[in-house]
Amino acid sequence: MIDETDAAGRAPDEGETPGAGDPSSGDSVNSGDSAKTGVLTSIAAFARKHRLPLVIAGGVVAFGLIGAGAVAAGVASNGGAAASVAAVTTPTPTPTVDPARPVPATIAAAARLRTCSVADRAADGRLANMQAHVMNAATGEVLYDRGGTTPSRTASVMKVLTSAAALSVLGPDYRTPTTVVKGSEPGSVVLVGGGDVTLSRTPSGTETVYPGAAHLDDLAAQVEAAWAADPANPPLTKLILDASYFSGDEWEPSWALKERDDGYMSNIAALMVDGDRDNPGSNTSWRSADPVGRAGDAFASELGGIGVIERGVAPAGAQQLGQVQSPTVAQLVDKALVVSDNTAAEMLARLVAIETGAGNSFGAINAGVLQGLAAYGIDTTGIIVVDGSGLSDNNAVPPSYLTQLFVKINAREGNLGVLMDGLPVSGERGSLGYDDRFSGDNAVADGAVSAKTGWIDTGYTLSGVVRAQDGSTLTFAIYALGDVTDEAKQAIDTLTTGFYLCGDNLSNS
């Protein structure tokens, strides 16, 4: 072979071919026959001109013509001596790739063609500005996506995030206390709220809207017994109300006041009774503007003899006279989800914020809840948590976050089985069991959808798990946002039923 570098290791310049057969190289061809030498010299010159590979061995010259495939060799003879030139096939070139062109490392497998369309259902005008996202829970494959990565208001679906954060940070068995301690003045006691919105003014043994709620009469009996145990104590005449466990506004500024008047939401304070309802046995009941005052009045009635009620803070290290505990986080999650109790959800969000060290006001909820959600390993970029209930238009969560979170909820990761068990079920339980949900043709999906409902004036939402007709399990989120009416619920149910009927064959077209 002809070496492509000179003795110094340099590449030849254009038009120069070093090596055998070049008279200027100082080498000689292995033959004394001048005619043969002439032929070889001519061939070498031809090879140089056309930049062809050239091999000389035993008087035979071989070269390839690029693109010709084969060369016919001429034979020159002088004085009966013959010099033969062998025909040589062009070597197969090594494939090269333009470095400027990206080349995939592997060839992607062909995607499955899914043929079950929900286009007609998704086009329902009652859905207004619709966003939706559907994922196969087993494979993680996204089957359907309409604005799924855009953070938007969630309505009460926000309670899923609040509950998941509470189960992560507090755990399902966590309870918060309401305590009474001795006041700094003679004849005074301090009722210290620990954030339990479920504490009831009804007699012990009475069932309220909050299963497992503590009762003020129990707490009062403990205080009276402890007070009477010390003969030096004067009669009880003063009650101080300490609600300092929560700070800042009691009413989130972005909430509409009609939510309180219509009985859907209370002011949020660390001390209240029965979620500040007029009727402790009704989920929807008018709420006051002073839940702390209502709780104080109720406790003073239980104690008797109280002439003064005022706000204050418990003395440091004061003697404890009595204490009762809230229902567990698991019970509160169930209440927040199954009938969408707003006040219970706000209680959970505030306790999460406090436990994480984020603070004890509305402004601390975002950091607290996001810290709680971090344990699940899903990117929370773009999420904004203004409240725990979802009542604010300023909340923002992409539907795709919910579908990912529901994969973990469905798998019952960590304590998330509590959340799964608390969800409404189509045609059977909670807010999906009402007469106007999954009715008519949509009843085919009864029992197959476990999901959280949501409703505010500017949107209806639904997110959860579908156990589809084909046996697949889907996670989904649907937002109907904008100028919506109550009929958006039926349109959402119809689209969800489409997911149920299509299953893993759901088309994204």
Side-chain angles (χ1 to χ4, degrees), residues 79-171:
S84 62
V85 180
V88 178
T89 303
T90 303
T92 302
T94 301
T96 60
V97 178
D98 182 349
R101 297 177 60 190
V103 178
T106 58
I107 299 175
R112 171 182 169 183
L113 179 63
R114 291 176 165 86
T115 59
C116 188
S117 175
V118 293
D120 56 340
R121 298 168 186 256
D124 192 326
R126 295 175 297 177
L127 294 171
N129 300 315
M130 189 268 286
Q131 293 176 238
H133 199 261
V134 182
M135 179 181 289
N136 183 309
T139 67
E141 186 174 2
V142 175
L143 305 182
Y144 189 83
D145 186 3
R146 296 294 183 274
T149 59
T150 301
S152 300
R153 55 194 177 277
T154 60
S156 284
V157 169
M158 177 58 76
K159 294 180 177 72
V160 173
L161 276 68
T162 304
S163 297
L167 289 166
S168 167
V169 172
L170 305 172

Side-chain angles (χ1 to χ4, degrees), residues 197 241-255 257 260 265-272 276 287-294 311 342-343 346-347 350 360-363 365 387 389 391:
V197 304
L241 308 177
D242 183 350
S244 62
Y245 198 54
F246 295 172
S247 70
D249 294 334
E250 290 185 358
W251 188 260
E252 213 292 320
S254 64
W255 293 348
L257 280 173
R260 188 175 69 196
M265 175 63 92
S266 67
N267 281 19
I268 303 305
L271 177 61
M272 69 171 72
D276 197 41
R287 321 294 174 97
S288 77
D290 184 14
V292 177
R294 193 202 292 260
R311 303 283 186 101
N342 291 314
T343 305
E346 294 302 333
M347 172 182 170
R350 198 67 62 95
N360 64 350
S361 67
F362 275 113
I365 289 175
D387 59 32
S389 60
L391 199 60

Side-chain angles (χ1 to χ4, degrees), residues 2 15-17 20-23 37-56 61-66 68 70-74 85-86 88 90:
I2 297 176
E16 178 184 358
T17 306
D22 186 346
T37 301
V39 170
L40 295 177
T41 302
S42 298
I43 293 172
F46 182 83
R48 286 198 304 272
K49 178 178 180 180
H50 296 281
R51 299 183 186 177
L52 302 177
L54 179 66
V55 178
I56 303 176
V61 179
F63 63 92
L65 290 176
I66 298 175
V71 173
V85 180
V88 178
T90 303

